Amino acid sequence: MLVRVAYVSKLIGTAGRSPLSMAQIVGISAVNNRRDHLCSSMLFHDGQVVQVIEGLRADVDRLLYRLEADARLGPMRMVCDMPIRERSLMEAVTVCHEPKRTLDHVGLNDLDDVTHGSVEAMLEYRLAA
């Protein structure tokens, strides 16, 4: 069964706070996601990340287990965990390059108030671009 999972987490230390740090996170994510047949999209903003992951349930669960142990992430707040008929995401990993514009589009100032609905709106906005 295919699922879509989304979480929000605070980034610890320097994780995700510089282009180099983001590139390192995205690079290893791309390698792992290709290996595990997962697709994902990340949005980094103001020391936090929201990530949407799509794939088979067992593969997504293995990734979530690894993420929970990742010292670069604080506690994850699950925003969405649902079955899907088909993937919306087609790449191993994509990154939102206009996080503020995306948040403005869905009416958010930061990631503290992200909901399932706002994640879906962000995905639709990004996929339409």
Side-chain angles (χ1 to χ4, degrees), residues 32-50:
N32 290 339
N33 286 358
R34 279 188 204 96
R35 178 196 65 214
D36 298 336
H37 308 287
L38 297 171
C39 297
S40 72
S41 184
M42 296 182 200
L43 183 147
F44 295 92
H45 179 71
D46 200 24
Q48 292 183 293
V49 63
V50 59

Side-chain angles (χ1 to χ4, degrees), residues 43 45 96 98-111 114 118 121-122 125:
L43 183 147
H45 179 71
C96 177
E98 296 181 322
K100 184 65 177 138
R101 185 175 180 180
T102 301
L103 291 173
D104 288 345
H105 179 77
V106 298
L108 295 174
N109 293 317
D110 54 45
L111 296 178
V114 168
S118 59
M122 284 189 275
Y125 177 67

Side-chain angles (χ1 to χ4, degrees), residues 28-129:
I28 195 68
S29 296
V31 169
N32 290 339
N33 286 358
R34 279 188 204 96
R35 178 196 65 214
D36 298 336
H37 308 287
L38 297 171
C39 297
S40 72
S41 184
M42 296 182 200
L43 183 147
F44 295 92
H45 179 71
D46 200 24
Q48 292 183 293
V49 63
V50 59
Q51 183 177 18
V52 178
I53 306 158
E54 293 180 343
L56 293 175
R57 172 93 265 164
D59 299 325
V60 170
D61 286 346
R62 275 192 301 276
L63 173 58
L64 291 174
Y65 181 77
R66 287 194 313 269
L67 290 172
E68 287 175 351
D70 191 326
R72 298 171 297 184
L73 293 176
M76 297 186 315
R77 178 173 63 89
M78 299 307 289
V79 178
C80 167
D81 188 338
M82 59 186 263
I84 55 175
R85 290 179 191 227
E86 61 186 10
R87 295 175 193 245
S88 295
L89 304 171
M90 297 298 152
E91 297 180 45
V93 64
T94 60
V95 177
C96 177
H97 296 289
E98 296 181 322
K100 184 65 177 138
R101 185 175 180 180
T102 301
L103 291 173
D104 288 345
H105 179 77
V106 298
L108 295 174
N109 293 317
D110 54 45
L111 296 178
D112 290 333
D113 298 322
V114 168
T115 65
H116 176 235
S118 59
V119 164
E120 294 296 318
M122 284 189 275
L123 275 177
E124 287 178 23
Y125 177 67
R126 296 250 356 262
L127 294 172

Side-chain angles (χ1 to χ4, degrees), residues 1-23:
M1 168 177 51
L2 282 175
V3 296
R4 176 180 301 140
V5 172
Y7 71 88
V8 177
S9 179
K10 292 192 185 297
L11 296 162
I12 305 299
T14 60
R17 296 180 195 269
S18 71
L20 176 60
S21 175
M22 285 188 284

